[in-house]
Amino acid sequence: MAERPPPPALDDAPLASGLYVVATPIGNLRDITLRALDVLAAADLVLAEDTRVAAKLLGAYGLPKKPLERYDEHGAERSRPKAMAALAQGQRVALVSDAGTPLVSDPGFRLVREAAAAGFPVIPVPGASALLAGLSAAGLPTDRFLFAGFLPPKSAARRTALEDLAPIRATLVFFEGGSRLAASLADMAAVLGGEREAVVARELTKLYETLYRGPLSDLAADPRLSDPKGEIVILVGPGREAEASAADVDAALADALTRLRPAEAAAEVAKALGLSRRDVYQRAMAMRAGQTRGGK
């Protein structure tokens, strides 16, 4: 049997100055790329969501210690000028999140935008992503998908956000915490439709990685998902293929407005046709205004 070749050594070619957006593992430490290791080894400054997590990451791969600067929603305003100054001096700056690809549900976009506007190179170093890992294993359509991040924590605001997403004919992807998972699934079933196929992916790439599949109504009632531990990705398949035409909406609204106030009519029609309540309400108000003008 042939011997397994040794792993390739770190690239010792000089690393150009610029801002490197570096993906890190979401669980399994072996999911880092060789290029990411090269960049982290050569970087002059590492911006991290949590410097303690970044320090452990560097130590796990035997990389040299280097300046670490906190860059999260609380420390970004203080750290961004330091990063820009480092770039102006021709240094190599690496931006990492606690896990996965930076700028996916974290505040790094302002730094990227400012660095690009100032003319500094911004170099993506792709790798692990809970969003893409979930999509790859869900078995739901991936030709069109929309990443909606974290939904609001309160049910009323969450349902409003879901109503805006209901008409979108694409797989919807969300991040969620275990303590809010059951409530979020219940709201999704109520607003998006309990029959929509969905997947709850828990602890992707980690020891207890588990995927739960089924209609939203079944997942919302699953006791295993009442308060699970770990990081969670929710994926919801597209709804009905046929979209209601403008004529369908107007006809349904015309009937509903004979019985209900505009807000109630919009809610009834939006739910029946799988549309955004806000959009239907605006149409209802336009129809009501047209009727008023016609009667004068």
Side-chain angles (χ1 to χ4, degrees):
M1 181 182 295
E3 292 186 4
R4 178 181 297 175
L10 293 178
D11 188 353
D12 57 2
L15 188 69
S17 65
L19 174 62
Y20 291 81
V21 184
V22 183
T24 58
I26 60 176
N28 192 315
L29 283 179
R30 296 183 68 83
D31 287 339
I32 197 163
T33 69
L34 296 176
R35 186 178 174 214
L37 293 176
D38 291 338
V39 171
L40 292 174
D44 301 299
L45 172 66
V46 175
L47 304 175
E49 197 173 355
D50 187 324
T51 56
R52 296 165 298 180
V53 173
K56 290 179 181 178
L57 179 72
L58 296 176
Y61 297 111
L63 300 178
K65 293 182 179 180
K66 54 192 66 239
L68 298 172
E69 187 73 32
R70 179 184 176 191
Y71 195 93
D72 60 7
E73 59 181 299
H74 304 293
E77 295 303 318
R78 185 195 71 249
S79 299
R80 195 156 53 247
K82 296 180 181 179
M84 293 297 294
L87 291 170
Q89 295 168 9
Q91 295 186 14
R92 293 77 57 91
V93 178
L95 173 66
V96 301
S97 63
D98 284 353
T101 300
L103 276 70
V104 178
S105 283
D106 73 36
F109 81 93
R110 291 188 177 88
L111 174 60
V112 168
R113 183 170 59 189
E114 191 168 330
F120 299 122
V122 178
I123 306 100
V125 183
S129 165
L131 161 65
L132 295 178
L135 277 170
S136 69
L140 297 172
T142 57
D143 55 331
R144 295 182 68 206
F145 64 87
L146 184 143
F147 174 61
F150 286 94
L151 289 168
K154 301 294 185 180
S155 180
R158 185 163 56 232
R159 288 193 174 213
T160 298
L162 288 168
E163 286 167 358
D164 289 339
L165 296 171
I168 297 173
R169 305 304 169 189
T171 294
L172 306 176
V173 187
F174 307 89
F175 288 166
E176 190 53 281
S179 62
R180 292 202 300 261
L181 177 61
S184 289
L185 288 171
D187 286 341
M188 288 178 186
V191 176
L192 301 178
E195 76 287 349
R196 287 179 70 159
E197 288 298 315
V199 173
V200 174
R202 185 179 72 89
E203 294 287 84
L204 286 169
T205 81
K206 300 176 184 176
L207 180 62
Y208 296 107
E209 174 183 280
T210 313
L211 276 73
Y212 304 88
R213 308 172 190 272
L216 273 173
S217 57
D218 290 357
L219 293 175
D222 193 327
R224 297 172 298 175
L225 301 178
S226 60
D227 188 14
K229 305 300 180 184
E231 303 295 326
I232 293 165
V233 181
I234 305 172
L235 305 103
V236 182
R240 293 172 298 183
E241 292 298 324
E243 294 191 30
S245 67
D248 293 335
V249 176
D250 286 353
L253 273 175
D255 173 69
L257 286 169
T258 63
R259 300 177 282 103
L260 303 167
R261 292 178 297 180
E264 296 168 337
E268 178 180 283
V269 172
K271 184 175 182 179
L273 299 181
L275 301 172
S276 163
R277 184 170 63 180
R278 183 179 305 169
D279 292 343
V280 177
Y281 177 72
Q282 291 174 349
R283 180 57 187 156
M285 294 303 293
M287 291 176 65
R288 175 60 62 87
Q291 292 170 356
T292 302
R293 287 194 297 270
K296 288 183 177 179

